[in-house]
Amino acid sequence: GAGVSQSPSNKVTEKGKDVELRCDPISGHTALYWYRQRLGQGLEFLIYFQGNSAPDKSGLPSDRFSAERTGESVSTLTIQRTQQEDSAVYLCASNEASGKETQYFGPGTRLLVL
Amino acid sequence: EDQVTQSPEALRLQEGESSSLNCSYTVSGLRGLFWYRQDPGKGPEFLFTLYSAGEEKEKERLKATLTKKESFLHITAPKPEDSATYLCAVPGLRTGNQFYFGTGTSLTVIP
């Protein structure tokens, strides 16, 4: 596809359930980023992938959060035992390489934990 | 600590009323400053990248400028369709991979 895609676009879950969020980056982009955006707030960095490796996991808020990337393409962000404070928009971005290159964002997944 | 601050938090303009948004940063060794536009329910859309003090870039009614400590996004004769949240971001010095985003300026242009 032409841009970054994310699925699902919306997810409602019950507290304590696990969720998986998917990101398909732009073809050929080696770097992939996950961000969290709470209502009315800025983007919070979660994790970065270069290829299939995640050299920077510093933003993951707790051990309930994990992410993986396969085939230097699709990435999955998993949140285990969801809590109400996990409710947010989860955004994925990609670019050709890390550093100062422009990041291109997907439309986000809106997660609501009841 | 690397930091990005945007002001004002919200701005209401009459159509045609020009103004400026501010993005100040404390990251040392700047390796680019990025402006994005975010519409409700959508991901940020790239607008500009500025790399050095004195650099300017323009796109339609928008012009971005950069100094050593801040960037301005000037909006000339705005239209209602310019209403959006404008975000700025800088790559961090420590890793270069973590981009620091400001909290954004929510712009509303009233017809």
Side-chain angles (χ1 to χ4, degrees):
Chain A
V4 178
S5 60
Q6 293 185 246
S7 61
S9 54
N10 293 281
K11 177 71 176 179
V12 180
T13 190
E14 293 179 350
K15 177 181 174 180
K17 301 281 189 181
D18 297 351
V19 295
E20 284 190 354
L21 312 180
R22 176 187 169 110
C23 172
D24 284 86
I26 292 172
S27 178
H29 280 189
T30 58
L32 185 148
Y33 308 77
W34 283 100
Y35 294 89
R36 177 169 71 179
Q37 187 175 32
R38 291 189 164 123
L39 187 64
Q41 298 188 19
L43 275 68
E44 176 188 4
F45 171 81
L46 297 179
I47 190 169
Y48 152 77
F49 285 91
Q50 181 61 46
N52 293 333
S53 300
D56 189 353
K57 301 181 181 180
S58 62
L60 293 177
S62 75
D63 59 7
R64 295 187 295 105
F65 287 72
S66 63
E68 65 174 15
R69 188 180 185 194
T70 57
E72 298 196 354
S73 179
V74 173
S75 176
T76 302
L77 177 68
T78 301
I79 308 173
Q80 296 179 309
R81 304 181 302 281
T82 53
Q83 303 294 311
Q84 289 183 332
E85 62 262 29
D86 298 334
S87 297
V89 176
Y90 290 83
L91 290 160
C92 174
S94 70
N95 63 12
E96 292 183 354
S98 66
K100 62 180 184 179
E101 290 78 13
T102 300
Q103 296 183 11
Y104 295 91
F105 283 83
T109 293
R110 282 145 198 82
L111 174 66
L112 178 60
V113 182
L114 300 176
Chain B
E1 180 179 320
D2 297 342
Q3 203 165 26
V4 179
T5 304
Q6 291 188 248
S7 63
E9 289 186 10
L11 182 63
R12 289 173 63 90
L13 299 173
Q14 289 292 135
E15 185 172 0
E17 178 187 3
S18 301
S19 188
S20 297
L21 314 181
N22 177 266
C23 171
S24 62
Y25 57 90
T26 58
V27 63
S28 55
L30 184 71
R31 296 177 301 112
L33 185 141
F34 298 77
W35 281 100
Y36 288 85
R37 169 189 171 130
Q38 186 173 25
D39 291 295
K42 296 186 177 182
E45 175 188 346
F46 170 72
L47 291 173
F48 305 108
T49 308
L50 302 166
Y51 289 108
S52 57
E55 188 175 359
E56 298 183 354
K57 288 193 177 174
E58 290 188 61
K59 179 180 180 180
E60 296 181 352
R61 295 174 292 282
L62 300 177
K63 182 169 79 172
T65 61
L66 182 66
T67 71
K68 288 185 177 180
K69 290 296 180 186
E70 59 190 349
S71 176
F72 291 94
L73 184 64
H74 307 278
I75 303 176
T76 302
K79 298 182 178 181
E81 53 262 42
D82 295 323
S83 297
T85 296
Y86 291 85
L87 301 167
C88 69
V90 296
L93 177 64
R94 183 174 61 86
T95 66
N97 306 319
Q98 180 170 345
F99 278 61
Y100 294 91
F101 279 81
T103 53
T105 293
S106 176
L107 174 66
T108 303
V109 181
I110 305 163

